[in-house]
Amino acid sequence: MGLFDSLKKKDEKPGRKISASLKKEARPKDIDVVPIEEDVLAKELVKPQFRYLKKITVTSYSDLEKISTELQEGNIVLVDLTPLERRPDILEKVAEQIKGMVNALDGQAAKICREELRLILLPSDIRIAK
């Protein structure tokens, strides 16, 4: 009597073998592997998001819409207001519009040149270290 004989089922007879057809039925069929949702979601989360630094020269009110869309997309915008230096009344209104837009989008704005009228506008998730 061997060490593992006591572990065998008592119903089985030692000389009896299982036929090959029964073995095939007992095996699971080929199973298609389906990707887990978590793997797909993880790949989407890890996918890098590209952001751009874009320069927009403001010559009229229509350029404000471009600035707004770029900030909403998360891009950093360099605004050149030098063409409006000759028209101070329009320059003042455009500057107020930009200020209001940046505050509404929870972004930040800063002047980057002393001599020229250039601003940098940042989206809400990027901050300026002061």
Side-chain angles (χ1 to χ4, degrees), residues 6 9 28 40-42 56 58-60 68 70 75 85-86 90-92 95 109 123-124 127-130:
S6 63
K9 293 182 181 178
V40 175
L41 291 174
I56 297 176
V58 178
T59 56
S60 66
S68 176
E70 293 299 330
N75 295 325
E85 282 181 327
R86 289 176 258 136
I90 295 176
L91 177 63
E92 185 178 336
S124 60
R127 295 290 175 208
I128 299 172
K130 295 180 181 183

Side-chain angles (χ1 to χ4, degrees), residues 22-85:
L22 290 176
K23 285 183 180 179
K24 286 182 182 177
E25 290 177 18
R27 280 192 226 155
K29 304 273 182 183
D30 291 333
I31 300 173
D32 293 333
V33 178
V34 179
I36 300 174
E37 288 181 18
E38 292 142 3
D39 291 341
V40 175
L41 291 174
K43 287 179 182 176
E44 288 296 319
L45 291 175
V46 174
K47 186 184 281 187
Q49 179 186 6
F50 291 107
R51 295 177 177 219
Y52 298 97
L53 174 67
K54 296 194 175 183
K55 179 186 175 192
I56 297 176
T57 303
V58 178
T59 56
S60 66
Y61 290 112
S62 63
D63 295 325
L64 295 175
E65 187 176 331
K66 294 177 194 174
I67 294 170
S68 176
T69 56
E70 293 299 330
L71 280 176
Q72 289 173 3
E73 290 175 2
N75 295 325
I76 300 169
V77 182
L78 291 176
V79 179
D80 186 9
L81 297 172
T82 52
L84 297 177
E85 282 181 327

Side-chain angles (χ1 to χ4, degrees), residues 78-107:
L78 291 176
V79 179
D80 186 9
L81 297 172
T82 52
L84 297 177
E85 282 181 327
R86 289 176 258 136
R87 299 182 282 181
D89 55 332
I90 295 176
L91 177 63
E92 185 178 336
K93 291 178 184 176
V94 167
E96 287 297 319
Q97 290 285 327
I98 290 174
K99 183 179 176 183
M101 178 190 338
V102 170
N103 287 335
L105 296 173
D106 195 32

